[in-house]
Amino acid sequence: MDFQTIVDSYGMAAAVLSVEKTEDGHYGDIRIVRANEMYKKIMGDGYHDNMVYSELIPKEPNFEDFCYRCAVHKQHLHAYVDTKSMGVWTDGTYIPLAPKFDEGNLCYFLFFFEFTKAPDSEKMSNISAETAPLVIQTCINLRGSENFYESMNTVIADIQKKTESFCSCIFMIDKEKRKFAPLCAKFSTDEVTIEDFLPFFTPEVVFSWEDTLKNRDDIIIKDEFDLAELEKINPVWTKSLRDAQVKNLVLVSLSQGKKMFGVLFITNFNVERIVDIKEFVELTAFFLSSEIANNDLMERLEYLSNVDSLTGVRNRNSMNARVDSHVNKEMTVHTPYGVIFADLNGLKQCNDSGGHEAGDRLLKDAAKLLKKHFDGDEIYRSGGDEFVIIVPNCKKDVFEKRVAQLRTETGYGAEISFAIGADWTDDEKELRHCMSIADGAMYADKNEFYRLHPDKARK
């Protein structure tokens, strides 16, 4: 077949590419077989016929996936994407060539494209009939409520439903301040919440996303093959995904200009709809970026960063802010209330014998136990092995009974052992005093524990 004649018949940059099929149902080399003069001019002196495309531009998994779908599965595809490696937006069309032109394990397709320096609204709106109403509905939901957070929750629930995913979530990230927090999340089941998965979102994982996205419009993981490819460039994140039982994923940057301030991601979605989902999620992320940036949410990230990423309970900053809001009468703790200080016994020994991974597991299990006893109350991790629980609107006898139950379950010999101090009051003015008494009682209990069990003492 005279591929040169085909590409020369186009008035825009065009090329015929080949995709090598592999026996495992994936692909090998993707080569530019022939190109017209406009294509060669754009690509520069490095171009030559039958070259592997990544000799000219950085490898792009999403582009490769479209090449494979077009050449091998004979799908006619279109994409308008932010080609970060070249600093342009690319309006690309993929047209399969008839199977009769395929040779052995090589399949062919025609690719032609145009560049724009900035996103073009007309090209961006050139989307499939299936995707258009989904995006329009999302935009309506974004503008349909005066409450920003309410509209975000509505949109993320809509995204979860339309992608048939297990989880859809927006994470806010401030790399300069080393802060991150979930803005909103929706799961396919009400039995789990984002707090259950926060331990997988370590700073090392979250702050790696920007580098991984550096030369890509988004990250799409469809199967174990894609996960293995991601592992080559980001093993820490890949391990976290495996630990969280993520089978497939779409992660898209939320940004203003060139500054990324968050991500939209969905996990365990209907992978059979990957082309439509990619188009829908990318365009939705564009509008979400604008809406979030207009809301100036970055200045409020300080207030969103209130969760301890390891245990899923609230962190020390959140506790301090809670005490301040009570003292300033902005949001008081409902009286009567009790305060509990619970210090985890034996963490140092656990770290020494089993390493910090064992210590982290102990802390997670400790937080899980506290959630079991004080579900619906305010639980904070105030320090390395110390937790604080504020129990609002609780009668004295009920409070004391709950504390006694916690002591019984976490005494010496238990898998999770706490030194516990508690105090109760019916005077809203006494929160700090109540906390001081509970803190002192906890330390007395801790010292008695180490006196009786010196083998557990911190060295």
Side-chain angles (χ1 to χ4, degrees):
M1 177 65 186
D2 185 2
F3 292 135
Q4 193 65 54
T5 299
I6 293 178
V7 296
D8 286 343
S9 66
Y10 282 84
M12 59 195 304
V16 168
L17 282 75
S18 67
V19 176
E20 179 188 15
K21 290 190 299 183
T22 58
E23 293 182 358
D24 61 359
H26 292 98
Y27 54 84
D29 287 343
I30 297 176
R31 295 180 177 273
I32 308 171
V33 181
R34 294 289 186 275
N36 64 10
E37 288 303 316
M38 186 175 296
Y39 189 104
K40 294 176 183 178
K41 182 178 179 180
I42 292 173
M43 292 305 171
D45 295 336
Y47 174 83
H48 61 84
D49 288 344
N50 209 39
M51 69 185 301
V52 176
Y53 90 95
S54 56
E55 295 177 41
L56 281 175
I57 60 175
K59 284 177 66 66
E60 217 297 308
N62 294 336
F63 171 73
E64 292 181 358
D65 181 62
F66 267 42
C67 292
Y68 175 77
R69 290 174 180 277
C70 181
V72 177
H73 295 299
K74 305 304 178 184
Q75 297 178 11
H76 186 161
L77 301 170
H78 170 263
Y80 184 57
V81 297
D82 183 2
T83 311
K84 296 180 180 178
S85 62
M86 302 179 71
V88 295
W89 283 71
T90 303
D91 184 16
T93 300
Y94 305 69
I95 300 177
L97 295 183
K100 67 180 181 180
F101 298 121
D102 296 342
E103 303 170 342
N105 65 340
L106 293 181
C107 300
Y108 296 90
F109 74 98
L110 174 68
F111 176 67
F112 56 90
F113 68 90
E114 289 181 321
F115 287 150
T116 61
K117 287 293 184 182
D120 183 292
S121 59
E122 183 175 344
K123 294 181 182 298
M124 191 170 285
S125 63
N126 184 21
I127 57 178
S128 69
E130 293 78 11
T131 302
L134 305 182
V135 176
I136 291 171
Q137 183 62 52
T138 299
C139 293
I140 292 172
N141 288 335
L142 278 173
R143 307 303 298 175
S145 172
E146 294 181 1
N147 185 306
F148 173 79
Y149 297 98
E150 182 179 310
S151 66
M152 286 295 109
N153 284 321
T154 300
V155 166
I156 206 66
D158 212 30
I159 292 172
Q160 183 276 320
K161 182 178 179 181
K162 289 169 180 173
T163 57
E164 302 173 48
S165 58
F166 171 70
C167 171
S168 296
C169 180
I170 294 174
F171 244 84
M172 303 303 300
I173 303 169
D174 189 336
K175 192 173 183 179
E176 294 177 359
K177 295 182 179 179
R178 300 292 293 178
K179 291 183 178 294
F180 59 92
L183 171 61
C184 53
K186 176 62 177 177
F187 290 81
S188 59
T189 172
D190 293 333
E191 295 177 0
V192 295
T193 67
I194 191 63
E195 283 77 16
D196 296 318
F197 291 89
L198 286 178
F200 299 106
F201 294 100
T202 65
E204 190 175 10
V205 167
V206 173
F207 293 120
S208 74
W209 290 339
E210 186 169 10
D211 285 339
T212 307
L213 279 163
K214 183 166 54 179
N215 292 320
R216 303 165 65 166
D217 54 329
D218 54 36
I219 295 169
I220 298 179
I221 305 297
K222 303 181 298 301
D223 50 29
E224 180 58 34
F225 176 82
D226 290 345
L227 204 58
E229 290 297 306
L230 178 66
E231 191 169 21
K232 296 175 183 178
I233 59 174
N234 196 331
V236 173
W237 184 26
T238 304
K239 181 180 184 304
S240 173
L241 292 173
R242 294 188 196 279
D243 290 345
Q245 300 183 14
V246 172
K247 305 300 182 185
N248 53 60
L249 164 91
V250 176
L251 183 139
V252 187
S253 170
L254 302 176
S255 57
Q256 186 175 31
K258 294 184 177 182
K259 183 177 180 180
M260 188 179 93
F261 57 75
V263 296
L264 163 66
F265 71 82
I266 62 173
T267 63
N268 295 358
F269 56 90
N270 183 354
V271 75
E272 294 181 0
R273 295 180 50 230
I274 182 59
V275 174
D276 292 337
I277 287 175
K278 178 181 186 298
E279 185 178 52
F280 167 61
V281 172
E282 287 175 349
L283 193 52
T284 298
F286 181 84
F287 292 112
L288 281 171
S289 294
S290 175
E291 188 70 15
I292 294 172
N294 288 341
N295 196 64
D296 202 19
L297 198 64
M298 291 307 297
E299 301 226 349
R300 304 185 205 182
L301 185 57
E302 196 76 32
Y303 300 97
L304 291 173
S305 302
N306 287 329
V307 176
D308 175 54
S309 58
L310 176 66
T311 62
V313 301
R314 304 180 197 185
N315 60 24
R316 186 178 185 85
N317 287 338
S318 176
M319 184 183 74
N320 292 337
R322 181 69 180 100
V323 174
D324 288 344
S325 70
H326 174 87
V327 172
N328 296 333
K329 298 189 180 302
E330 295 172 355
M331 187 171 66
T332 58
V333 179
H334 294 300
T335 56
Y337 59 82
V339 176
I340 303 165
F341 274 61
D343 194 284
L344 186 59
N345 290 322
L347 179 62
K348 172 70 164 57
Q349 186 186 54
C350 182
N351 282 329
D352 290 344
S353 61
H356 285 287
E357 286 190 4
D360 287 349
R361 285 195 298 273
L362 182 61
L363 283 164
K364 292 177 188 177
D365 290 342
K368 189 179 296 184
L369 186 145
L370 292 176
K371 290 176 186 177
K372 184 184 81 171
H373 281 275
F374 298 97
D375 184 35
D377 298 317
E378 301 175 23
I379 306 173
Y380 304 88
R381 184 185 175 197
S382 59
D385 53 5
E386 187 173 290
F387 296 85
V388 174
I389 306 104
I390 298 176
V391 185
N393 199 25
C394 187
K395 295 180 179 179
K396 186 175 183 179
D397 59 336
V398 175
F399 176 72
E400 291 177 344
K401 182 178 179 180
R402 295 175 71 185
V403 173
Q405 289 172 339
L406 180 64
R407 287 187 188 277
T408 299
E409 190 169 340
T410 62
Y412 179 70
E415 187 175 342
I416 299 168
S417 174
F418 280 119
I420 296 172
D423 192 42
W424 177 92
T425 183
D426 58 2
D427 185 349
E428 71 173 31
K429 294 181 291 185
E430 294 187 354
L431 178 58
R432 284 178 174 163
H433 180 64
C434 197
M435 293 178 74
S436 178
I437 293 174
D439 188 30
M442 180 271 292
Y443 273 105
D445 192 28
K446 173 74 80 174
N447 291 335
E448 180 65 10
F449 174 86
Y450 286 138
R451 186 185 70 80
L452 297 173
H453 312 288
D455 59 307
K456 300 288 186 180
R458 293 183 242 199
K459 302 273 197 306

